[in-house]
Amino acid sequence: MSISATAEGRSALGSKDRVKTAVAAAFGTSVENYDFIAYGTASALYFGTVFFPESDRLVGTLLSFATLAVGFVMRPLGGAIGGYFADKLGRKPVLVAAMTVMGAATFLIGALPTYEQVGVLAPILLVAIRMVQGLAFGAEWGGAITMAYEHAPWHRRGMFAAIPQSGNPLGIALASGVFAWSDTLHGSWQWRVPFLLSAVLVVVALIVRSRLSESPEFQEAQAGGTTEKNPLRATLAADWQGILRVIALRVVESFAYYSTATYLLSYVTERNPELRPVALAAITAASILAIAVTFLAGALTDRIGRRPIYITACTAAVLFAFPMYLLTNSAQPVLVVTVFIVGIGLIHASLTGTQGSLLTEQFRTATRTSGASLGYQIAAAIGGFAPLLAAALVGAFGWPGAALLYLGAAVIGLVGILATKETWGRAQRERVRGLVAEERRTVNTTKALRTDPTAPSPSK
């Protein structure tokens, strides 16, 4: 029996728009990450003096990272709103709306007056716009991942869900590269230009996303009347355990990135200002490497399952917590670059590459975006405080405080994945591969009959 006759009624080979959808989701995700990460980089390098100049150095850094964290606090609300409408109305409208709001907010940050120009109004406006950024970014992830996942061939969903995840390091690389270039400019243009340039990326991304087709799984659920009237309430009532698993799995990845790319960048440049270009270039190089590693990690999960990759990455994070600061404290450019390469390009990328499928598979179609988004963004809100907490702990205990913070997040992730069942085990892989092979035979036979009517049909 071909897959078309199964209960799902969908092709095991995925939709005809599977590649276009995954690439478009990745492009949009890269722009969203460019916008959001640009703020983190600017917080580490500029905002402490631009918006909080009357504070001393440590307090200015803490206040700057506090405004960074505000955006993360808003992300669960954005995830809840975006997930609700994506599960109720469709994935595509949420993606377009989130992109529009994020682009407008990012452009406005680049046009903000400074504290020197308008006084306390400057940080107030900064925080308000950052809150809008957080809402938009929170609504983005779930829709992008579920679109790619639900359009994908069943036996390659890990790889296809990793494609939008690859947009994360691509956006990071773009932001880091632009900041490395803008560092050569003069005055406020050093931090304004990266935000203003995002307008071009947003327009292109909106054009691409507007041409996507809706998720076939959502359309089937909608046609069959199996969507939820209130997806968020249904998720909280029936899938709360899945949300808790996603939070635990996501915390390690969020801390792994923001403890490295945001706090460690500030840590390095404050102690060794001459290493700023090296650190920015290292983050850019690590992010470029992460694009490939994210994709490869997702593809590998289709072959061996989701858990082995995640367990390995969490274990590596546990072992890396103290060496990352010991190597950085040497102030040797090669060792500093190595830390960013390992932390972002290998550990973080392996986690993100696995998350696309692993987190999505914790939920059914009707509540998939709501559940995955809410858990993902709650963990992101926690992780957004990583730079602030690391700075406070270093101020109190020195660099071991930041290392222990990273270690704690890694342990939470390791415990989380050990407590999570495999969502793509050997038996399921073999069953789906059989369905895929059967459908391919049917498709090939149908093509042969069109060219040669005497060819045997599948039933003969």
Side-chain angles (χ1 to χ4, degrees):
M1 181 174 61
S2 71
I3 192 64
S4 61
T6 66
E8 288 87 350
R10 287 171 281 106
S11 170
L13 299 177
S15 77
K16 60 183 180 61
D17 293 333
R18 55 189 179 274
V19 175
K20 180 177 70 174
T21 300
V23 173
F27 185 78
T29 302
S30 69
V31 176
E32 291 270 4
N33 274 272
Y34 172 94
D35 290 353
F36 205 73
I37 298 306
Y39 192 102
T41 304
S43 294
L45 300 180
Y46 303 107
F47 285 174
T49 56
V50 171
F51 291 99
F52 310 101
E54 292 186 351
S55 306
D56 63 36
R57 191 171 187 178
L58 176 60
V59 174
T61 299
L62 290 173
L63 289 173
S64 179
F65 285 149
T67 64
L68 173 69
V70 166
F72 285 91
V73 171
M74 299 303 294
R75 284 177 62 169
L77 179 57
I81 294 172
Y84 175 89
F85 286 109
D87 284 333
K88 190 173 182 65
L89 303 178
R91 322 306 195 196
K92 179 180 174 180
V94 174
L95 293 183
V96 174
M99 177 64 62
T100 303
V101 174
M102 176 64 100
T106 304
F107 183 84
L108 287 175
I109 289 175
L112 276 179
T114 65
Y115 186 94
E116 184 180 359
Q117 294 171 320
V118 297
V120 72
L121 179 62
I124 291 175
L125 290 173
L126 180 67
V127 171
I129 296 175
R130 178 62 176 172
M131 292 173 69
V132 174
Q133 263 198 329
L135 285 172
F137 196 74
E140 152 71 22
W141 181 85
I145 292 298
T146 53
M147 279 282 278
Y149 180 89
E150 292 172 353
H151 275 275
W154 293 8
H155 64 305
R156 301 177 71 185
R157 281 178 158 172
M159 184 188 76
F160 272 76
I163 294 175
Q165 290 289 78
S166 297
N168 295 340
L170 177 58
I172 294 167
L174 287 171
S176 299
V178 170
F179 268 99
W181 165 73
S182 69
D183 196 46
T184 64
L185 302 177
H186 298 287
S188 65
W189 292 115
Q190 288 182 321
W191 63 269
R192 291 187 186 278
V193 167
F195 292 102
L196 297 175
L197 284 178
S198 72
V200 178
L201 297 176
V202 168
V203 170
V204 175
L206 281 173
I207 294 173
V208 172
R209 283 195 165 178
S210 65
R211 298 175 178 175
L212 294 179
S213 59
E214 184 55 82
S215 158
E217 282 194 36
F218 174 79
Q219 288 179 323
E220 181 182 349
Q222 194 175 45
T226 58
T227 56
E228 296 284 351
K229 291 183 178 180
N230 190 325
L232 181 59
R233 183 172 60 191
T235 302
L236 293 173
D239 295 328
W240 60 270
Q241 291 179 320
I243 294 174
L244 291 179
R245 284 194 296 270
V246 170
I247 292 172
L249 296 172
R250 165 74 165 133
V251 160
V252 56
E253 179 262 313
S254 187
F255 269 79
Y257 179 75
Y258 289 103
S259 293
T260 308
T262 301
Y263 177 71
L264 197 62
L265 173 62
S266 175
Y267 179 87
V268 169
T269 56
E270 282 187 3
R271 286 155 181 74
N272 305 99
E274 72 280 2
L275 290 178
R276 175 188 286 188
V278 173
L280 285 171
I283 293 175
T284 304
S287 300
I288 293 172
L289 172 63
I291 297 170
V293 173
T294 300
F295 178 81
L296 292 174
L300 188 57
T301 67
D302 288 329
R303 293 181 175 274
I304 66 174
R306 322 302 189 200
R307 292 180 80 245
I309 307 299
Y310 220 80
I311 290 172
T312 301
C314 287
T315 303
V318 168
L319 298 176
F320 190 59
F322 279 85
M324 68 186 292
Y325 282 94
L326 291 171
L327 293 173
T328 300
N329 289 338
S330 70
Q332 296 296 317
V334 173
L335 297 181
V336 171
V337 170
T338 300
V339 167
F340 285 110
I341 291 292
V342 173
I344 298 174
L346 298 178
I347 294 176
H348 180 257
S350 297
L351 293 169
T352 57
T354 310
Q355 281 181 352
S357 54
L358 176 64
L359 304 190
T360 302
E361 288 167 350
Q362 303 302 314
F363 306 93
R364 56 196 174 91
T365 302
T367 60
R368 180 172 290 153
T369 312
S370 296
S373 293
L374 190 58
Y376 189 92
Q377 301 305 344
I378 289 175
I382 299 171
F385 284 90
L388 178 63
L389 292 173
L393 289 171
V394 169
F397 306 107
W399 67 265
L404 284 171
L405 181 67
Y406 186 99
L407 176 62
V411 170
I412 290 173
L414 183 59
V415 172
I417 187 60
L418 291 175
T420 299
K421 294 181 180 179
E422 177 61 73
T423 57
W424 187 237
R426 177 176 296 179
Q428 187 177 7
R429 295 198 299 271
E430 291 178 355
R431 182 182 70 84
V432 170
R433 285 168 185 162
L435 293 172
V436 169
E438 182 180 353
E439 184 170 356
R440 281 176 174 165
R441 287 194 297 269
T442 301
V443 170
N444 291 335
T445 301
T446 301
K447 289 180 179 179
L449 286 171
R450 289 174 181 171
T451 57
D452 182 8
T454 64
S457 68
S459 59
K460 293 181 180 180

